[in-house]
Amino acid sequence: TVIDAGAPVTDVCFSKNNERLAIVGNDGFLGLVDPQDNFGLASEMECESIITVVEWSSRSFVVGQEDGTVSIYPVNEVLTQNFDQIEPMTVSRPTPVRSLSFGYRGRLLAVGGDDGVVAIYNTEGKWPMVHSISVDFSVSRVKWSPTGRHLAIAGHNNNLKVVDTVFWAEIEELNKFVSSCRNTGVSVDTSLGFSQDGKFLSFTTNDHSGTRIIR
């Protein structure tokens, strides 16, 4: 199946049970298509601020934007109503949102952006920010391990850090390994991937010659 989004696509993401595929265009368009209906358009919205990234948990659908807005929609409403019928909860960041990642069982949400801060939100109640991690680079990717123990943070100037979320401390031995890769560096647009047991992390290098795996 080929889906014409009408503009360059900046992000795609399936819901946890594959009920919807979210498609984001660089013109502010967001469409949800239904795989059970030949990927027909189920709902859509257009935003004045460009949508940069989307993410699903089993309970929430989250939209990050260029103006720093993070909009949170209940999944049960997204699957049954159009966006103009839903009043989202919002949190605001001071710079464009570049990456979103839910932690173990969707209990925490990591939000990374151009300000070099990864904000951690508790997904219960009014989504309070419960922690923040400051790094010395603009954040382009964040990724929780499946167990929720580790959070990988990648960004500009060939940077990649891994944080142990029990102590909210960087794992120095992994950071030393990344530093040893400086001749090629971590790709700014790297795809971060954890193994299912959380013991391995893969990322691409700037020369795009291959994928490195760290343990």
Side-chain angles (χ1 to χ4, degrees):
T1 299
V2 178
I3 302 169
D4 184 1
V9 174
T10 58
D11 198 19
V12 292
C13 189
F14 273 105
S15 61
K16 291 304 178 184
N17 294 316
N18 300 322
E19 304 101 332
R20 296 288 186 272
L21 170 64
I23 302 173
V24 177
N26 71 351
D27 57 354
F29 173 81
L30 168 63
L32 298 183
V33 299
D34 184 352
Q36 302 301 318
D37 188 27
N38 198 30
F39 289 93
L41 187 65
S43 58
E44 62 182 299
M45 71 172 173
E46 293 191 19
C47 298
E48 292 184 6
S49 176
I50 293 173
I51 298 171
T52 52
V53 61
V54 293
E55 179 70 305
W56 298 85
S57 73
S58 59
R59 296 184 299 168
S60 302
F61 176 61
V62 182
V63 179
Q65 294 178 242
E66 189 80 23
D67 66 1
T69 301
V70 179
S71 301
I72 304 143
Y73 298 85
V75 165
N76 61 336
E77 295 184 24
V78 168
L79 296 179
T80 58
Q81 303 175 51
N82 206 350
F83 284 107
D84 59 7
Q85 300 172 300
I86 307 170
E87 185 65 34
M89 184 182 300
T90 61
V91 297
S92 296
R93 303 298 306 146
T95 59
V97 176
R98 300 301 180 194
S99 188
L100 303 166
S101 181
F102 279 103
Y104 181 64
R105 294 185 177 177
R107 294 172 180 170
L108 297 173
L109 174 70
V111 180
D114 289 355
D115 59 348
V117 173
V118 177
I120 309 297
Y121 293 90
N122 186 321
T123 63
E124 297 294 335
K126 295 185 177 181
W127 290 59
M129 188 172 74
V130 293
H131 194 74
S132 64
I133 303 167
S134 296
V135 294
D136 56 356
F137 53 87
S138 298
V139 177
S140 59
R141 291 288 185 274
V142 291
K143 183 72 173 180
W144 288 93
S145 66
T147 62
R149 176 67 184 265
H150 299 111
L151 179 65
I153 306 168
H156 293 270
N157 299 322
N158 303 335
N159 279 289
L160 171 62
K161 296 182 182 295
V162 180
V163 173
D164 184 330
T165 63
V166 172
F167 308 101
W168 296 111
E170 294 180 20
I171 302 177
E172 291 301 330
E173 57 267 32
L174 294 185
N175 294 338
K176 289 178 181 178
F177 174 83
V178 173
S179 296
S180 71
C181 304
R182 290 300 186 196
N183 59 321
T184 53
V186 178
S187 174
V188 169
D189 59 352
T190 189
S191 176
L192 298 173
F194 278 98
S195 60
Q196 288 303 306
D197 59 7
K199 293 182 179 180
F200 296 92
L201 170 67
S202 64
F203 62 94
T204 54
T205 52
N206 257 336
D207 59 4
H208 301 288
S209 61
T211 297
R212 293 181 181 269
I213 298 175
I214 56 179
R215 181 175 185 175

